[in-house]
Amino acid sequence: MLDIRLVRDQPDFVKARIATRGGDDARKIDELLAIDAERRKAETQLQQLNGERKRLSKEIGGRRSRGESSDELEARVRAIGDEIGRLGDEATASETRQRDLLLRIPNLPHADAPMGKDASDNPVVRSWGEKPHFDFPPLDHAALGSKLKLFDLERAAKLSGSGFICFTGAGAKLERALIYFMLDLHTREHGYTEISPPFLVRRDCMIGTTQLPKFEPDMYGLEENQMFLAPTAEVPVTNFHREEILAAPDLPKKFVAYTPCFRREAGSAGRETRGIIRVHQFDKVELVKITRPENSYEEHESLTANAERVLQLLGLHYRVIELCTGDLGFGSAKTYDIEVWSPGQNAYLEVSSCSNFEDFQARRMELRFKDADGKNRFCHTLNGSGLALPRLFAAVIECGQQRDGSVRLPEILLPYFGAAEIRRDA
RNA sequence: GGUGAGGUGGCUGAGUGGUCGAAAGCAGCGCUUUGCUAAAGCGCCGUACCCCAAAAGGGUACCGAGGGUUCGAAUCCCUCCCUCACCGCCA
């Protein structure tokens, strides 16, 4: 959520920044300002009337205790009360409209964000390692998975419909090995505190991390309970300290959480549907930071590096791209995507998206800290996958495949998986 | 799911219709005294929003949330949320 005062003071600046995203959200700014003026006008009048009522009511109390008549005063206050009721409704309506609108206006891209229209304009920031070479035609993960019985999509569909995965045997074990490996790495070497949060969250939390109200059609909700299946651990973990005022020395807070993620993927039917690349439920290890505003961009770099470390230790080739203004997510000011190489798809797969939301989420969830002057200020929030599982899983088996159909696993997984290879007969 | 008790400022806790944004204590900040520490004394010490070009200053709201009664609500009524205790059910 943008700071209404910033919008008020520098509307042209705000409009220009938002316009870089494309779309017509900049138009909403004028509407917002109109509502804001209306709201403040009603509020000011309301406050004057409230003051008057307060004064007169005290006067009534005084007169009554002295045994004097207060009839004419009571009539006046009653009339003021009616007016207060009317104006109050007006003020509340404006307030609601303002908030609703504010919740649907995206964050301002960072001043240095690369300009661009869509994903094709995203610059590559760096890459690591090299594409593996095969002296045989490599299979994609779907073929490998079914040959080695690592997952069973047909039977998963029987249980839950298309777009669900059922890992089996060595596949289930490999998934678990990857999760354990990543959690250990981030807790032991990168200093994150592990969180195992609820997967069902309240509406307010979904608003806090910007999934709602705009993206409600993409979310799984439980109508009667007004709860939602978290589409990412970002939701429960970032909201962990919502409506709190943290002590400055306690920042940054660094959390890592492994959770399943639930997404309707409405409207993406037919895209990337082969195998386990795009599904309704997947596992993910997520990194979340709550920082002071001054150093959130440093923390953003290190968070991204922490996520990259996973791929480096697994020996998987990847590249990091920065999202251009046109491709940036709704709440993000700056985002790096990490993409691992998939020989089977002959393409890079997004396995992590590391974003700095600045105070955009914090303002929505009233997440603050007390600075050295004793003033309450909004924190900055960041998150990034560290990493998303099905795609990482796909890259691991595709890159490790051998001519005989077996898969050689990265050495670092040996203590977690208990074997160096996955063979057909296993 | 049932019954009961509760939700007041950073914390403890008083307040059952009017002058209560809220006693008191603790914690915190500042000053005085002091060789230093300790102790004591005095003062300050919530949040949000609005008015004002800004500062100074002024105002309004907020006692879990929302509605209602009333001239006036922390206080009375209703609904909901949450916490605690016991009972039932269940992995």
Side-chain angles (χ1 to χ4, degrees):
Chain A
M1 194 160 71
L2 296 179
D3 182 355
I4 185 64
R5 268 172 288 203
L6 174 69
V7 180
R8 220 144 58 198
D9 296 345
Q10 303 182 54
D12 294 333
F13 165 75
V14 170
K15 279 189 238 179
R17 294 301 312 158
I18 288 180
T20 64
R21 288 174 168 274
D24 59 356
D25 283 322
R27 288 191 196 174
K28 292 181 181 162
I29 297 300
D30 286 324
E31 193 188 344
L32 180 68
L33 288 171
I35 296 171
D36 183 53
E38 217 173 83
R39 191 201 98 238
R40 283 188 296 158
K41 195 175 148 206
E43 213 165 284
T44 302
Q45 289 176 14
L46 189 62
Q47 288 182 0
Q48 282 164 357
L49 288 176
N50 264 323
E52 189 143 342
R53 173 164 75 177
K54 203 171 173 180
R55 244 185 343 270
L56 293 179
S57 290
K58 280 185 186 173
E59 174 66 19
I60 290 169
R63 286 201 189 182
R64 283 197 177 185
S65 66
R66 292 192 299 270
E68 298 168 10
S69 156
S70 56
D71 292 355
E72 84 291 354
L73 272 185
E74 285 180 32
R76 270 174 68 194
V77 176
R78 198 173 298 130
I80 291 172
D82 291 345
E83 185 67 3
I84 286 174
R86 198 184 58 75
L87 262 174
D89 290 347
E90 230 173 79
T92 309
S94 301
E95 220 176 285
T96 306
R97 280 211 296 155
Q98 175 169 333
R99 183 169 170 82
D100 286 351
L101 194 55
L102 217 37
L103 287 177
R104 289 170 189 277
I105 293 173
N107 200 2
L108 307 185
H110 187 269
D112 299 337
M115 293 292 177
K117 250 174 49 200
D118 53 40
S120 63
D121 293 325
N122 295 336
V124 175
V125 176
R126 60 182 164 268
S127 69
W128 185 95
E130 283 172 16
K131 295 178 187 174
H133 292 291
F134 299 94
D135 53 6
F136 58 94
L139 300 175
D140 80 350
H141 73 277
L144 275 169
S146 87
K147 282 196 169 185
L148 294 171
K149 295 191 182 349
L150 303 181
F151 47 83
D152 190 329
L153 301 181
E154 290 73 25
R155 292 195 172 91
K158 212 158 56 172
L159 305 176
S160 309
S162 73
F164 287 88
I165 311 174
C166 192
F167 285 105
T168 55
K173 190 174 184 185
L174 176 56
E175 220 234 356
R176 175 159 56 92
L178 286 165
I179 292 165
Y180 276 45
F181 157 62
M182 289 191 277
L183 285 174
D184 281 351
L185 173 68
H186 295 310
T187 54
R188 291 178 188 164
E189 289 181 34
H190 298 152
Y192 290 77
T193 301
E194 187 170 346
I195 297 248
S196 181
F199 308 151
L200 284 173
V201 293
R202 317 173 81 124
R203 180 170 210 99
D204 282 348
C205 292
M206 295 285 276
I207 290 173
T209 33
T210 72
Q211 283 75 22
L212 295 183
K214 200 176 172 192
F215 306 105
E216 184 146 8
D218 298 323
M219 305 299 147
Y220 284 112
L222 280 69
E223 196 87 12
E224 344 179 328
N225 299 300
Q226 277 291 303
M227 296 189 90
F228 293 84
L229 285 149
T232 157
E234 165 194 356
V235 180
V237 177
T238 313
N239 278 285
F240 187 69
H241 286 296
R242 84 192 322 271
E243 289 160 45
E244 289 186 35
I245 298 171
L246 303 172
D250 292 343
L251 300 178
K253 298 260 185 189
K254 298 165 67 177
F255 297 120
V256 58
Y258 149 66
T259 69
C261 303
F262 302 91
R263 303 183 178 182
R264 297 181 74 92
E265 298 295 350
S268 59
R271 279 166 53 207
E272 295 178 329
T273 45
R274 179 167 163 81
I276 60 176
I277 301 305
R278 178 171 232 108
V279 286
H280 294 306
Q281 179 190 325
F282 63 94
D283 288 323
K284 180 154 62 73
V285 169
E286 182 78 1
L287 305 173
V288 171
K289 284 186 182 179
I290 300 171
T291 77
R292 302 188 214 199
E294 307 84 76
N295 61 2
S296 67
Y297 280 95
E298 290 161 43
E299 296 290 347
H300 184 224
E301 294 298 326
S302 63
L303 183 144
T304 307
N306 295 154
E308 286 176 57
R309 187 79 185 132
V310 172
L311 295 175
Q312 291 168 8
L313 290 172
L314 292 172
L316 298 174
H317 166 56
Y318 69 87
R319 66 179 191 184
V320 177
I321 61 172
E322 181 176 355
L323 298 194
C324 70
T325 51
D327 199 30
L328 207 53
F330 178 81
S332 178
K334 178 171 183 168
T335 297
Y336 292 121
D337 275 5
I338 303 174
E339 301 181 326
V340 70
W341 176 251
S342 158
Q345 314 279 307
N346 197 37
Y348 289 95
L349 296 179
E350 179 190 330
V351 285
S352 181
S353 195
C354 301
S355 300
N356 185 351
F357 298 87
E358 298 190 351
D359 63 8
F360 193 78
Q361 295 182 326
R363 183 169 277 112
R364 287 174 167 232
M365 59 178 84
E366 291 199 55
L367 169 57
R368 293 171 291 178
F369 73 100
K370 206 170 268 296
D371 73 10
D373 304 329
K375 288 193 65 172
N376 296 333
R377 299 170 62 198
F378 289 109
C379 301
H380 279 194
T381 60
L382 297 77
N383 70 59
S385 339
L387 304 165
L389 274 149
R391 293 177 184 180
L392 178 63
F393 184 105
V396 166
I397 62 174
E398 286 181 4
C399 290
Q401 63 183 299
Q402 302 176 101
R403 178 179 283 280
D404 65 359
S406 66
V407 168
R408 167 154 287 276
L409 295 176
E411 234 174 90
I412 194 130
L413 292 180
L414 186 61
Y416 295 98
F417 187 77
E421 291 186 335
I422 302 177
R423 311 203 68 86
R424 194 178 301 230
D425 47 278

